[in-house]
Amino acid sequence: MDFLILFLIYLAICLSCMVVAIKFSRQSQEYFARISHHVIQVIRPVIPQWLQVAVQLALHRLIHRRNSFFLVLHLVLEVVVYGVYSWEVVPYCLELGFRHSILLLPYILLLGKMYFFYLCCTRDPGTISPSNLKQLLKVYTYDGTLYRRDRVCPTCELMKPARSKHCRVCDRCVHRFDHHCVWVNNCVGGLNIRYFLLYLVTLSGMAAAVGTMTKLFLTFPRILFMLGFTLLTFFLLAGYTAFHCYLVMTNQTSNEWYKHKNSCHVDNSWSDKRTWENIYHRGFVANVKEIISPETVQKKIR
């Protein structure tokens, strides 16, 4: 019972931190930025200059450049979770007479997840280049609000097709840009969004399957805290997956949704709030088909 109470307290604290982080991550970004600035100003005199420079360089490389840190962290966490599951949970389940098909389900989901994870990491998200620019300009029409004609990317020096965006991390313009995902170390765009959605679904299924099997052993400390981690991971992934399913059904990207909700105009320049009509929404079936079979000049949106 002591372990159960400790677990519930641990889970409540983690869930509270998660809710606070989600609620205030964007709404109070400027407020927290000011606080962090004041904190840095206070502690800066007592921190050696070389350490300040090293931390700034490390953070810049970690956040603003492509790197494999989160990719490796993601794999390490999976190794730890599946290690505990294999050496702690599976033997007990076998003793209790669980069917092998049930115990193998997390491993089957792991294989599927690794396949889609590999595709997300390696497949081109839709990089815009001089060779395909003319074709991509014909795929989507400009809505006149978020996307306007004759906009040129100042970095790539290429005309920006509708629904495209320049990724500062990858340093390239991406067709139907959704977001840059640090966990796969790649952009998510028009050509790999389907793999990313399947990756999220299988990853959520993994967390659910491992968590379901693990909850049977609440009296074991190591298993108890792994259960807390898998449950939190599942809640986060399930919510994030549901959000992307909503975007698919309404034919929006994360970039478009964020700009619309925050009244942010194209190219990160702020303007008065305008009414945005999603001209790309063509119905559930057509929207899903567009994700499964990405639009090209041959299958132009009419």
Side-chain angles (χ1 to χ4, degrees):
M1 182 61 66
D2 293 336
F3 286 138
L4 180 58
I5 294 175
L6 182 62
F7 168 72
L8 292 176
I9 295 174
Y10 162 74
L11 188 61
I13 293 174
C14 293
L15 283 173
S16 300
C17 294
M18 180 183 69
V19 170
V20 171
I22 293 174
K23 182 175 180 58
F24 293 103
S25 60
R26 285 178 176 172
Q27 293 180 359
S28 303
Q29 187 175 9
E30 294 183 0
Y31 176 73
F32 286 112
R34 289 196 298 269
I35 293 178
S36 62
H37 175 73
H38 290 306
V39 171
I40 292 173
Q41 294 299 322
V42 172
I43 66 175
R44 177 175 292 177
V46 299
I47 299 178
Q49 184 65 29
W50 66 267
L51 183 58
Q52 295 182 32
V53 174
V55 171
Q56 290 176 357
L57 291 175
L59 290 176
H60 178 78
R61 181 170 182 82
L62 187 65
I63 299 174
H64 299 289
R65 292 187 180 181
R66 292 191 69 183
N67 63 84
S68 302
F69 174 79
F70 289 99
L71 189 149
V72 173
L73 176 62
H74 165 251
L75 295 177
V76 169
L77 291 175
E78 283 187 352
V79 169
V80 172
V81 169
Y82 270 84
V84 175
Y85 175 77
S86 301
W87 296 106
E88 299 283 353
V89 177
V90 172
Y92 289 121
C93 290
L94 290 175
E95 292 179 4
L96 294 174
F98 279 73
R99 290 187 299 177
H100 288 76
S101 58
I102 297 178
L103 298 178
L104 289 176
L105 179 60
Y107 298 102
I108 296 173
L109 290 171
L110 175 63
L111 292 176
K113 193 278 310 181
M114 290 302 297
Y115 174 69
F116 296 121
F117 176 72
Y118 169 78
L119 293 178
C120 288
C121 294
T122 58
R123 290 298 177 89
D124 177 25
T127 303
I128 300 174
S129 63
S131 60
N132 62 14
L133 177 60
K134 290 184 178 181
Q135 292 183 333
L136 294 178
L137 285 171
K138 301 176 183 178
V139 176
Y140 293 108
T141 57
Y142 293 88
D143 64 354
T145 304
L146 293 180
Y147 308 105
R148 295 182 176 182
R149 295 184 182 274
D150 301 326
R151 293 276 184 173
V152 177
C153 174
T155 304
C156 299
E157 297 182 347
L158 296 173
M159 186 177 294
K160 300 179 67 171
R163 311 193 79 180
S164 68
K165 186 179 185 298
H166 184 87
C167 177
R168 291 178 293 178
V169 179
C170 296
D171 193 25
R172 60 182 173 181
C173 284
V174 177
H175 167 63
R176 199 185 185 278
F177 179 85
D178 192 272
H179 70 287
H180 179 88
C181 181
V182 296
W183 297 103
V184 300
N185 196 27
N186 198 7
C187 289
V188 177
L191 301 186
N192 67 348
I193 181 67
R194 59 190 187 277
Y195 305 131
F196 182 73
L197 291 171
L198 292 172
Y199 160 71
L200 288 180
V201 170
T202 51
L203 193 59
S204 301
M206 282 171 46
V210 173
T212 301
M213 300 302 299
T214 305
K215 72 177 183 180
L216 302 174
F217 305 95
L218 293 178
T219 57
F220 297 86
R222 290 187 298 259
I223 298 178
L224 184 67
F225 284 96
M226 190 191 79
L227 174 60
F229 175 76
T230 54
L231 285 177
L232 288 174
T233 303
F234 171 73
F235 289 140
L236 285 171
L237 290 172
Y240 194 58
T241 303
F243 170 67
H244 272 277
C245 289
Y246 162 75
L247 293 180
V248 169
M249 290 186 292
T250 58
N251 204 330
Q252 297 182 74
T253 65
S254 298
N255 179 54
E256 293 165 352
W257 180 87
Y258 179 73
K259 284 182 176 181
H260 172 54
K261 291 297 181 181
N262 293 273
S263 305
C264 182
H265 200 51
V266 69
D267 295 331
N268 295 325
S269 59
W270 292 86
S271 63
D272 295 334
K273 187 170 183 179
R274 303 183 182 186
T275 302
W276 179 59
E277 180 182 357
N278 184 9
I279 65 172
Y280 309 112
H281 179 41
R282 300 179 296 151
F284 173 76
V285 175
N287 293 339
V288 173
K289 183 180 178 182
E290 181 179 330
I291 297 298
I292 298 175
S293 180
E295 300 290 348
T296 64
V297 69
Q298 288 79 17
K299 295 182 291 182
K300 178 182 174 182
I301 296 180
R302 302 183 185 281

